[in-house]
Amino acid sequence: YIVEVMAKGEALGSFEQLVLLALVHLGDGAYGVPVRLEIEQRTGRAVSLGAVYATLERLEAKGLVASRRGEPTAERGGRAKRYFALTGE
């Protein structure tokens, strides 16, 4: 599928590639904060959480990742984490 995406002129940007590699390293069930930390630790550059989530949503729209909501937790004020995983594509 990645070859098909690239053939359509939708080549993956370097940050999209970094996010995908972070998901590969972190495994299923990664969410924004660990993805951000993984990229920062491996590249040495600061990354905003907003940029990570925008990129994850873009990758989801391309069919390369899928997301699911976890259970709400008290420490997050009743909000649920949004987990991301690579798709079979």
Side-chain angles (χ1 to χ4, degrees):
Y1 179 80
I2 292 176
V3 172
E4 183 180 317
V5 168
M6 293 176 67
K8 291 181 182 178
E10 298 176 28
L12 296 176
S14 60
F15 193 69
E16 288 175 321
Q17 292 176 30
L18 287 173
V19 170
L20 286 173
L21 289 171
L23 288 176
V24 167
H25 188 259
L26 294 168
D28 290 347
Y31 60 97
V33 173
V35 171
R36 184 183 101 201
L37 293 174
E38 179 71 18
I39 294 169
E40 287 180 345
Q41 289 172 354
R42 293 191 178 265
T43 66
R45 76 184 222 206
V47 175
S48 76
L49 195 54
V52 170
Y53 275 110
T55 302
L56 286 165
E57 288 175 10
R58 199 166 48 250
L59 291 170
E60 187 171 30
K62 291 180 180 183
L64 300 175
V65 302
S67 67
R68 66 175 173 80
R69 294 262 181 213
E71 295 295 319
T73 60
E75 70 248 8
R76 293 179 46 84
R79 294 182 329 216
K81 290 179 183 171
R82 187 171 172 199
Y83 295 96
F84 292 87
L86 296 172
T87 64
E89 300 291 339

